[in-house]
Amino acid sequence: MKDKIAPSMMCCNFLAMGEQLATFEKNAIELLHIDVMDGSFVPNFALGTDFVKQLKRATSIPLDIHLMVECPERHLDSFIFGEGDYVSIHYETTKHPQRVLSAIRARGAKALLAITPTTPVEVATDLLDDIDGLLVMTVNPGFAGQKMIPHSIDKIARARAFLDSHGRADAEIEVDGNVSIPNAIRMKGAGANIFVLGTASLFGTAPLEENIKKFREEVGLGM
Ligand code: DX5
Ligand code: ZN
């Protein structure tokens, strides 16, 4: 399965977005991670429908829309996405996850089930035919710049074993939260293949391009 990196767009410098997008394109970034927060499921607000619309127009890099919103079924139609994009919804936010995941796939996108640090991987048992992967939150969702919840590495390994043993070795595992280089090495070792890069590894002091290259090299992702 291909390793992918997904810059967390909420961590971008909004005043230099065009320049940053050009750097992502030049460096063959696989996905753009978009945190949508509703101030209810998570105690923060972030990116929304108009931002997604603008990004879609501005770049051909596929989007990775992470819906941290209550009742995502009410909002899917407000977002532009389709073939090649990824959309994740949280198990904790809807009474009918199967319906929402199917609706995402019906639009040609990959559907991921996101789980917070306290939701066990087994909640995906009856959704195995409806997902293209799991998004394992490695911090409590809501804010950039947090520390990884220590059980995360073990949880990623359990998620990988769970998917493999249920005939879904093809299903992807995305990790989100404090994906620093040392953490990512362990996350990859445990079976993750999509890495959301925020303040822990990408948006720091060094230029973006330097950080992208360093991450790929040190985590062993290749190009
Ligand atoms: C959580 C967000 C954050 C963030 C990732 O909901 O997705 O995890 O953007 O970046 P850092 O590296 O700051 O944890
Ligand atoms: Zn996210």
Side-chain angles (χ1 to χ4, degrees):
M1 202 168 339
K2 190 178 181 335
D3 290 319
K4 303 178 180 83
I5 61 180
S8 173
M9 299 306 284
M10 69 177 272
C11 301
C12 261
N13 174 358
F14 286 90
L15 301 178
M17 186 71 75
E19 217 175 282
Q20 297 191 327
L21 273 180
T23 305
F24 295 150
E25 281 167 4
K26 178 171 169 237
N27 287 276
I29 286 296
E30 289 87 357
L31 292 169
L32 298 177
H33 186 82
I34 298 150
D35 285 311
V36 180
M37 303 187 187
D38 67 352
S40 176
F41 173 57
V42 291
N44 195 7
F45 294 92
L47 314 178
T49 53
D50 291 313
F51 179 72
V52 169
K53 211 178 283 169
Q54 286 198 31
L55 261 191
K56 257 284 173 239
R57 266 192 232 127
T59 180
S60 56
I61 302 175
L63 307 185
D64 174 33
I65 303 174
H66 179 191
L67 294 174
M68 285 169 273
V69 303
E70 298 287 359
C71 301
E73 58 271 29
R74 291 189 196 150
H75 306 291
L76 276 192
D77 289 345
S78 309
F79 287 92
I80 292 183
F81 65 83
E83 202 74 44
D85 296 319
Y86 283 61
V87 179
S88 51
I89 57 135
H90 271 267
Y91 179 78
E92 305 84 10
T93 56
T94 175
K95 292 194 171 78
H96 307 290
Q98 197 277 340
R99 184 180 287 154
V100 197
L101 292 161
S102 314
I104 293 168
R105 277 179 153 187
R107 287 172 59 179
K110 305 256 191 207
L112 302 193
L113 183 70
I115 51 176
T116 69
T118 45
T119 299
V121 299
E122 290 77 15
V123 298
T125 303
D126 289 320
L127 292 166
L128 283 165
D129 294 336
D130 307 295
I131 57 172
D132 296 288
L134 291 175
L135 188 165
V136 177
M137 287 298 309
T138 46
V139 298
N140 286 306
F143 301 96
Q146 306 181 77
K147 284 276 153 282
M148 181 176 73
I149 306 275
H151 77 217
S152 298
I153 303 298
D154 177 58
K155 184 165 184 181
I156 296 160
R158 282 186 279 119
R160 188 69 272 160
F162 170 79
L163 292 168
D164 292 354
S165 67
H166 287 80
R168 291 303 313 270
D170 62 306
E172 304 195 72
I173 295 183
E174 176 167 17
V175 282
D176 187 8
N178 196 204
V179 183
S180 63
I181 289 176
N183 286 344
I185 291 169
R186 299 173 67 209
M187 290 163 170
K188 180 173 159 58
N193 75 296
I194 304 177
F195 303 88
V196 177
L197 306 192
T199 60
S201 48
L202 185 57
F203 300 95
T205 44
L208 287 183
E209 182 162 301
E210 202 176 295
N211 289 338
I212 293 166
K213 288 189 170 140
K214 190 168 172 225
F215 188 90
R216 281 213 171 102
E217 212 171 280
E218 293 187 15
V219 182
L221 303 186
M223 264 297 285

